[in-house]
Amino acid sequence: MSIFLGIELGSTRIKSVAVDKNGKTLATGGFDWENRFENGIWTYHLDCAWNGIRESIKLLISDYSKKQGKALEEIKGIGISAMMHGYLVFDRNGSQLAEFRTWRNTITENSAKILTEAFGFNIPQRWSIAHLHHAVEANEVHVDDIDFMTTLAGYVHYKLTGKKVVGIGEASGIFPIDSTTNNYNTIMMRKFDIIASEHDVLWKLKHLLPKVLLAGEDAGSLTAEGAGLLDPTGLIKEGIPFCPPEGDAGTGMVATNAVTPQTGNISAGTSVFAMLVLEDKLKKLRPEIDVVATPTGKPVAMVHCNNCTADLDAWVNMFSDVMTKMGAKPDKTELYRNLYNAALDGEKDCAGIVSVNYLSGEHMTGFHDGRPLLIRTPESNFTVENFMRSLLLSAMATLKIGMDILINEEGVKVTKLLGHGGLFKTPVVGQKLMAGALNTPIAVMDFAGEGGAWGIAVLAAYAACRQNNEGLEDFLEKKIFADIAVNTITPDPGDVKGFESYLERYKAALKVEKSAVENL
């Protein structure tokens, strides 16, 4: 049996998935981790990443043995995915020069504005080039020593293979892509070099960035050193080929078969983003909308929000602590299921309760920092059902603001969105409420909660198994998704109306949020 391994470093969980050549899941493993807020920066420590990868692989190997009744067989391909964007820089000796600055940071607001104006192309705050510009503008001491800049997925791939490469979807969140060449935009690169030269930097941008690869292209193979990092037991051997590393946006598109024009997906976890594959360019520059790429280079409009379920997860954890202090032993999965389902019994507009879920800043609504808020009017009906519904609708509210720009102002057509990520793990609830929030049918597949790791495993299978230059779109349609059931929920008119009412209160509450950020 041919086995393909996908590893994804998500915001709260490092996941590994083993699949066969048709995408059937054979085994999984996982490791929970959390970002840290240190010295004003949202970050993760890279040693924690490696510990998590090894633990995830260890659990996958055990899971495979239990489910398949035998030891893990030879792996034919591996893929690495991770949360996109951010800032990871290294010197010529491979030493890390600055803390890993994740997508969540909003310290690059001014840099994003400067580059957007210079390029005539929207550069979001979380993009890697905005972080590099910020470091240059701030004259940070490490800047002159930079030899290589990459993303988390690109870094892990490099350590495992020795290759400084990324997939084009991941690359499109580092620096703008020229769709005619499927490479970094050279005109914009020259403009960046001119800007950076004002600070007497010693390098040119083209020498820092990882090479861009398309899905299916050779991205190197596992080295002996890489095999030791991945699996110290020696079961996973060197020489295994790799597909190009991709970000969670690209793997989400693959995991939902949303890689052709007029298809789209929503990834909802710690952050939330919607991806719509475009037929035409956007009418004008939209600072709220990213333009990125599919793993084959097709242009994609992305509505990205920094905040989704993190505040909701914190409340669930508190409920779990309360139960523990009362002598109960709560099962986290069951607790989530019960609380999520309670939201379905809540009043459609949450009866005077509103939550602002901004644990960090939110570019979509102009916040450089966040303060999670819970507000209720004196006459509100403060029940568990209404409270949980408020938390869930809050996780969708900022996405709705961005989607309205894309659909109402840009005229982008969408008939259905495929959902994946932690918000959709509990059956029906997140799917039904999201359908009402966006007034669009939401479809979910069985593996919605682990989609990214599965998606990169499928890309590894594509790189190894495609025949006669078979396109990714055909490979997914005919070999991966042909027999996969898709469950679709259409918007309930009551949910749509209730969310519209909730959203008005949410927008009003942002004035309170602004005051909280300024004063607390």
Side-chain angles (χ1 to χ4, degrees), residues 78-145:
I78 300 176
I80 303 297
S81 179
M83 51 193 136
M84 287 178 69
H85 317 299
Y87 186 68
L88 269 170
V89 288
F90 304 89
D91 65 17
R92 65 180 57 191
N93 297 316
S95 298
Q96 186 179 357
L97 292 172
E99 69 279 277
F100 171 35
R101 301 171 186 179
T102 76
W103 54 269
R104 171 167 266 173
N105 290 285
T106 55
I107 59 174
T108 58
E109 180 179 6
N110 187 56
S111 290
K113 289 178 180 178
I114 291 172
L115 295 180
T116 295
E117 182 176 349
F119 295 167
F121 184 96
N122 183 37
I123 302 297
Q125 297 174 27
R126 64 189 177 282
W127 279 29
S128 303
I129 193 62
H131 281 277
L132 178 60
H133 180 271
H134 173 80
V136 170
E137 286 280 302
N139 294 312
E140 295 193 31
V141 294
H142 72 270
V143 167
D144 283 343
D145 294 324

Side-chain angles (χ1 to χ4, degrees), residues 153-397:
Y155 160 75
V156 172
H157 181 94
Y158 166 64
K159 294 294 288 185
L160 295 177
T161 68
K163 300 294 184 182
K164 297 177 179 179
V165 302
V166 291
I168 191 168
E170 180 77 332
S172 69
I174 297 174
F175 194 86
I177 294 293
D178 182 344
S179 59
T180 64
T181 63
N182 285 329
N183 210 331
Y184 302 115
N185 187 300
T186 55
I187 294 175
M188 295 182 191
M189 290 181 79
R190 285 196 292 270
K191 289 182 177 179
F192 183 89
D193 285 336
I194 292 171
I195 294 171
S197 68
E198 298 174 1
H199 296 269
D200 300 321
V201 299
L202 304 177
W203 39 256
K204 296 294 184 183
L205 183 60
K206 67 179 180 180
H207 299 307
L208 305 188
L209 302 183
K211 182 180 179 181
V212 180
L213 297 177
L214 298 179
E217 292 188 321
D218 177 22
S221 58
L222 187 64
T223 63
E225 180 184 4
L229 285 171
L230 202 59
D231 172 33
T233 69
L235 184 63
I236 298 177
K237 308 293 185 182
E238 65 180 291
I240 302 170
F242 274 67
C243 69
E246 273 292 354
D248 47 5
T251 55
M253 286 185 270
V254 171
T256 54
N257 195 22
V259 293
T260 57
Q262 289 197 14
T263 62
N265 76 88
I266 296 174
S267 174
T270 303
S271 64
V272 60
F273 52 84
M275 312 282 297
L276 302 179
V277 185
L278 298 173
E279 292 181 288
D280 302 302
K281 292 182 179 179
L282 297 181
K283 296 174 184 176
K284 65 178 185 178
L285 188 154
R286 298 281 183 180
E288 305 90 351
I289 309 298
D290 300 12
V291 177
V292 291
T294 71
T296 57
K298 290 184 173 63
V300 177
M302 174 194 254
V303 178
H304 185 283
C305 307
N306 286 353
N307 298 278
C308 186
T309 62
D311 184 46
L312 188 156
D313 292 339
W315 280 104
V316 174
N317 287 334
M318 190 190 72
F319 287 138
S320 178
D321 288 344
V322 169
M323 293 177 68
T324 300
K325 285 179 170 56
M326 293 294 291
K329 296 180 179 180
D331 176 87
K332 206 57 140 332
T333 300
E334 184 179 357
L335 181 58
Y336 267 101
R337 184 173 61 250
N338 288 335
L339 289 173
Y340 270 49
N341 277 287
L344 294 182
D345 296 325
E347 296 173 64
K348 300 294 186 182
D349 65 351
C350 306
I353 304 170
V354 62
S355 169
V356 178
N357 61 326
Y358 291 179
L359 188 67
S360 64
E362 188 58 75
H363 73 99
M364 185 68 66
T365 47
F367 285 87
H368 63 83
D369 205 351
R371 301 289 185 272
L373 295 178
L374 176 67
I375 306 169
R376 61 189 180 99
T377 58
E379 70 276 9
S380 63
N381 187 13
F382 194 51
T383 65
V384 170
E385 292 81 3
N386 289 334
F387 173 65
M388 286 306 302
R389 191 178 184 93
S390 172
L391 293 178
L392 283 161
L393 295 191
S394 175
M396 304 167 187

